[in-house]
């Protein structure tokens, strides 16, 4: 493979990619959790939540691909196993099938955690003057912040 010459030195590319690996792991874990809840949600809000979760996991599936491809663009291999994601993710897996309201709460916290992970990657990308990663991560933050707000809004006050 040819040497990568995109105006970001190798050390900075590696540091950004390591942060993106964590963002990828959080995003993939949240994707799996959302898909699981889509399949297993029950209760009076079934239809609304089932459809909302489907929208969310479809969006997350696209995001996973975008993040992994950015890691590859930086010249680093993207993680792609459950074991790797479990080691890198800040989002804990959920055992069993929680009630619908708990699902919404868990997903809200998951989206908020992805935002926090993204903020860490953003700082690294800014230090490296990596505008492409900054744009990707900033867009991801906006999506997760809005999704967390929408999920929170379905919960009883």
């Amino acid at each position: 493979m040819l040497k990568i010459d995109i105006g970001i030195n190798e050390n900075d590319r590696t540091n950004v990619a390591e942060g993106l690996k964590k963002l990828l792991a959080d995003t993939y874990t949240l994707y799996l959790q959302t898909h699981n809840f889509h399949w297993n949600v029950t209760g009076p809000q079934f239809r609304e939540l089932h459809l909302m979760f489907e929208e969310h996991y479809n969006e997350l599936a696209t995001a996973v691909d975008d993040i992994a491809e950015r890691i590859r663009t930086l010249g680093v291999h993207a993680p792609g196993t459950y074991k790797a994601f479990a080691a890198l993710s800040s989002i804990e897996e959920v055992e069993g099938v929680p009630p619908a309201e708990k699902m919404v709460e868990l997903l809200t916290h998951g989206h908020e955690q992805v935002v926090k992970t993204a903020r860490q990657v953003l700082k690294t990308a800014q230090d490296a003057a990596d505008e492409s990663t900054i744009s990707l991560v900033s867009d991801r933050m906006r999506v997760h912040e809005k999704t967390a707000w929408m999920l929170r809004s379905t919960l009883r006050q």
Side-chain angles (χ1 to χ4, degrees):
M1 191 161 143
L2 289 175
K3 183 178 184 258
I4 298 171
D5 185 15
I6 58 173
I8 304 169
N9 70 51
E10 184 176 355
N11 188 54
D12 285 343
R13 283 189 291 106
T14 300
N15 288 338
V16 170
E18 290 304 314
L20 285 170
K21 286 180 182 182
K22 292 176 182 177
L23 183 60
L24 177 62
D26 280 358
T27 304
Y28 196 82
T29 302
L30 186 58
Y31 162 82
L32 287 174
Q33 193 174 81
T34 304
H35 212 151
N36 175 30
F37 292 170
H38 164 79
W39 290 328
N40 293 299
V41 69
T42 59
Q45 289 184 292
F46 167 78
R47 181 167 172 72
E48 175 188 347
L49 293 177
H50 181 75
L51 294 173
M52 182 191 317
F53 295 166
E54 182 175 11
E55 289 173 9
H56 293 174
Y57 77 69
N58 283 327
E59 194 284 327
L60 289 163
T62 300
V64 163
D65 198 51
D66 291 343
I67 297 164
E69 288 178 356
R70 183 64 193 157
I71 293 168
R72 292 300 297 134
T73 300
L74 294 170
V76 177
H77 287 104
T81 65
Y82 294 124
K83 183 177 181 179
F85 290 147
L88 290 165
S89 183
S90 316
I91 298 173
E92 293 187 27
E93 290 193 50
V94 176
E95 294 293 325
V97 179
E101 191 166 310
K102 184 66 175 176
M103 288 178 178
V104 172
E105 186 180 312
L106 289 164
L107 292 175
T108 301
H109 292 309
H111 283 278
E112 291 171 340
Q113 180 56 53
V114 174
V115 172
K116 291 186 244 182
T117 300
R119 287 189 190 288
Q120 294 169 349
V121 179
L122 184 64
K123 173 83 171 92
T124 305
Q126 288 169 333
D127 291 346
D130 179 355
E131 294 298 327
S132 295
T133 299
I134 291 168
S135 177
L136 171 69
V137 172
S138 178
D139 289 347
R140 295 305 319 144
M141 288 171 61
R142 191 170 26 262
V143 168
H144 290 287
E145 288 171 349
K146 183 176 181 179
T147 303
W149 160 63
M150 290 185 161
L151 286 165
R152 254 190 319 276
S153 295
T154 68
L155 295 171
R156 289 180 234 166
Q157 301 300 320

